[in-house]
Amino acid sequence: MSESDFGRGRGAMCPLHPDHLAQRTCTRCGNFMCDTCSEGGTQVHCPTCREREGLGQAFPLDRHNWSVGGLLEVCWERFKREWVMLSVGAILFFAAAMVGSFVSQILSFIGGLSGSTTVTVLMVIVGTVLSWVIQGMGTLGITRMCLDVLQGQRADLGRMFSQLSKLVPYLLTLLLSFAVMLPVIILCFGAALAVFVGMSGVSLAEVGSSEEAINAVISNTPPHVLVVAFVVGAGLYIFPGLWLVMPLVLMQPALVDAENPGPVETLKRCFAAAQGQRLGMLGTLFIGAVIFIVGIFLCCLPGIPALAFFQLMLSGLYLSLSKGAEEV
C-alpha cells in the first residue's frame, strides 16, 4: 500500500480538517495529514510541526519592503536551520565547477596535441560547452535548494538534480547574457586602449603587431599612462557597465523559478526586477562577497558554508525584487 493510500484505506480523517480524508502522515510527529495540510503533497511535516520548526513560512520580503539588512536577517534565520544540507549542496556546486573546468582544459590540451587548428578550435568549443553544462547543473541545483529553503521548505539534496530539463534554456540564456555584456567589454577595452595610445604616442599597428611588440610597448610605457588607462576602463565598467550587467546576477534564480523558461523572457524578468534597485543589489553583492572572502581566508572549511550563504543571499535577492516587479 502506497503512502498516499494509507489514510484512505484506513478511513482516517485529518485532525485539522475533519471532513478531509488523511492521505499521508507527518514524518515528524506521525499525525495524519490531508492534501490541504501537505500542500498537495509538497510538505512532509504537518502544519503544527512546520510552525514549530519554522518551516512552511512564506518569504516575507518584496521589492516594496526589502532592504539589505532585512534580506541579510531573513537569509541568516533560514540558513541556521538548514546550513548542513546547504553546505553539502555547496560542495557539489563547487565540485561541478572544478570538474567542468577540468574537462574544458583536458579537451583543449588534446586539441593542441593534434597539431590541427581546426581540431583545436573544435575541441575548445566542445570543452567549453561541456564545461557550461556541468557547471550549469551545479549552479541551477544549489539555486533550487536555496529557493526551497527561503520559501519555507527543507533543503533536499535531491533537488540538486531536479533542474536537468533547464540546461538547454540555461545555455541559451548564458549566450544571450554574453551578448548583452559584449558592448560593455568593447566600451571598456576600447576606451582604455584609446587613452593608452593617445598618452603613450604609439600607433595601433605597434600595439597589435605581435605579442613581443605588445610586451615591449608596455615595458617602455610610463607607469602613470598604464594607471590612467586602467582607471578609465574600470570607471566605464562601473558606470554605465554595472548598470547594464547588474540584472544578470538574477539570471540563475529566474531560470530556476520559472516552469518553462525562455532566454529572452528570463532576461526581461531580470531587468524588470532590477529596475530602480541596482544600488541595493550592489550592497547585497558586496556584503555576500565579503562574507565569502572572509570564509576563504579563515580556512577552506568555513568557505563552504560561506559559499552556501552567498548563494542563499542571491536567491533571496531575486525573490525580494521579483515580487511586485510586474507592477513596475
Side-chain angles (χ1 to χ4, degrees):
M1 182 181 296
S2 66
E3 183 185 24
S4 62
D5 293 332
F6 181 81
R8 192 179 300 276
R10 295 293 183 86
M13 308 303 291
C14 175
L16 295 181
H17 304 93
D19 55 335
H20 292 176
L21 282 172
Q23 302 296 328
R24 50 189 48 83
T25 58
C26 173
T27 58
R28 181 177 183 272
C29 68
N31 280 339
F32 292 118
M33 291 194 299
C34 63
D35 276 341
T36 300
C37 288
S38 66
E39 298 182 2
T42 62
Q43 301 287 347
V44 296
H45 293 175
C46 67
T48 303
C49 288
R50 293 202 298 270
E51 183 177 357
R52 288 173 180 170
E53 296 189 4
L55 297 171
Q57 297 177 355
F59 189 73
L61 304 178
D62 57 39
R63 65 184 296 109
H64 303 297
N65 67 6
W66 91 285
S67 65
V68 177
L71 176 61
L72 187 64
E73 181 180 356
V74 171
C75 289
W76 178 244
E77 287 301 317
R78 306 290 169 97
F79 179 76
K80 286 191 298 183
R81 191 189 71 224
E82 299 289 340
W83 74 272
V84 174
M85 295 307 297
L86 285 174
S87 297
V88 175
I91 293 175
L92 294 177
F93 165 71
F94 181 75
M98 293 297 100
V99 170
S101 178
F102 178 74
V103 168
S104 177
Q105 292 177 11
I106 287 295
L107 291 180
S108 298
F109 177 74
I110 293 174
L113 292 178
S114 69
S116 168
T117 302
T118 303
V119 173
T120 300
V121 172
L122 180 61
M123 295 300 281
V124 169
I125 294 174
V126 171
T128 301
V129 173
L130 287 177
S131 174
W132 288 352
V133 169
I134 297 171
Q135 293 174 359
M137 291 173 59
T139 300
L140 298 180
I142 187 65
T143 302
R144 180 67 270 171
M145 288 183 65
C146 289
L147 289 175
D148 287 346
V149 170
L150 290 171
Q151 292 171 327
Q153 301 179 44
R154 284 291 190 187
D156 182 1
L157 202 58
R159 299 282 273 173
M160 284 286 296
F161 310 98
S162 66
Q163 303 299 301
L164 298 181
S165 63
K166 297 179 181 177
L167 283 177
V168 172
Y170 170 78
L171 294 176
L172 295 176
T173 308
L174 197 60
L175 289 173
L176 185 58
S177 69
F178 287 157
V180 172
M181 294 177 62
L182 187 60
V184 175
I185 296 173
I186 294 175
L187 174 65
C188 297
F189 180 77
L193 181 61
V195 170
F196 175 78
V197 170
M199 294 185 66
S200 64
V202 301
S203 66
L204 287 176
E206 290 180 85
V207 174
S209 58
S210 66
E211 184 178 348
E212 292 77 12
I214 294 174
N215 292 332
V217 168
I218 292 177
S219 61
N220 294 325
T221 301
H224 73 276
V225 175
L226 298 175
V227 171
V228 172
F230 173 79
V231 169
V232 169
L236 288 174
Y237 180 76
I238 294 174
F239 186 83
L242 273 183
W243 182 90
L244 180 62
V245 303
M246 183 70 72
L248 299 181
V249 303
L250 305 176
M251 185 185 75
Q252 284 87 1
L255 278 166
V256 172
D257 193 47
E259 187 173 346
N260 295 303
V264 176
E265 293 78 9
T266 297
L267 292 191
K268 282 183 177 179
R269 288 199 305 274
C270 292
F271 276 86
Q275 185 174 345
Q277 302 289 340
R278 284 174 172 82
L279 187 59
M281 293 174 66
L282 183 62
T284 301
L285 293 175
F286 176 77
I287 292 176
V290 168
I291 293 173
F292 178 56
I293 292 172
V294 169
I296 293 295
F297 277 119
L298 287 177
C299 189
C300 293
L301 190 58
I304 296 300
L307 175 60
F309 186 72
F310 182 57
Q311 292 295 322
L312 195 69
M313 287 191 68
L314 288 179
S315 298
L317 182 63
Y318 167 77
L319 289 178
S320 298
L321 300 183
S322 62
K323 291 172 66 176
E326 63 279 356
E327 301 172 2
V328 177

